[in-house]
Amino acid sequence: MEQFTVEATTRNETGKKAAKAIRAAGKIPAVVYDEEGKATSVVVDAVQFNKVWRSITSTTLVTLKLDGKAMDAFIRDTEYDIITDSVLHADFFAVSNTKPVVRKYKLQYSGTAAGVLKGGFMVKHTPEIKVKALPKDLPVRVVVDVSPINIGDVFTVKDINLGDKVTILTPADAEVITVAPAR
């Protein structure tokens, strides 16, 4: 898995005027929140941030180098201007990798179900699952291979394997996919 790094420096000035000056200099004003809720105002390079931001998911851990000190963080939120195609502000959430976090994942599907090839219809029941794990152990995305599912088969949450370091909090008997026969 590729490691993404964003360099940041602490900033003292806040407000609209300061934010406009930061953006004019090719940088983005941002805030880093820690696990206790303490906020630190920072500045990140716009080009470097955009390169990382456009390549990750909401559950990808990035290395945030704040004044030379590295820490793991998620990019929690961004304020994006669609007219200028630029990020106006970013929020980071720094984690310690000692406490598990809970995240929701939209399920992605790969392959074509065997039952669909025989004329059945694939029905998706559960669009997302909730998982709990240490931040460094979180998967980037959850992809379900549907190719072995035949007509009449039921693929449930307990059939999803994310490894032993990740706990799925969604009920195990919840149906993810079924293949219904043709009418």
Side-chain angles (χ1 to χ4, degrees), residues 124-139:
K124 300 174 186 174
H125 299 282
T126 306
E128 64 183 20
I129 61 170
K130 194 183 284 189
V131 302
K132 180 179 180 181
L134 290 175
K136 64 180 176 171
D137 296 328
L138 284 172

Side-chain angles (χ1 to χ4, degrees), residues 75-88:
I75 297 176
R76 176 173 272 175
D77 193 22
T78 56
E79 185 180 340
Y80 180 73
D81 185 358
I82 60 170
I83 296 171
T84 61
D85 189 34
S86 61
V87 175
L88 302 175

Side-chain angles (χ1 to χ4, degrees), residues 104-178:
K104 285 184 180 178
Y105 285 87
K106 287 190 188 272
L107 294 175
Q108 297 177 355
Y109 306 99
S110 68
T112 303
V116 171
L117 295 174
K118 295 175 184 172
F121 296 97
M122 185 168 78
V123 181
K124 300 174 186 174
H125 299 282
T126 306
E128 64 183 20
I129 61 170
K130 194 183 284 189
V131 302
K132 180 179 180 181
L134 290 175
K136 64 180 176 171
D137 296 328
L138 284 172
V140 174
R141 57 184 53 88
V142 177
V143 180
V144 176
D145 180 21
V146 297
S147 53
I149 303 171
N150 274 307
I151 294 175
D153 288 352
V154 176
F155 188 88
T156 60
V157 170
K158 69 180 172 200
D159 298 324
I160 300 172
N161 183 11
L162 298 177
D164 57 346
K165 294 182 179 182
V166 179
T167 305
I168 299 176
L169 300 177
T170 305
D173 59 344
E175 293 181 351
V176 176
I177 293 199
T178 57

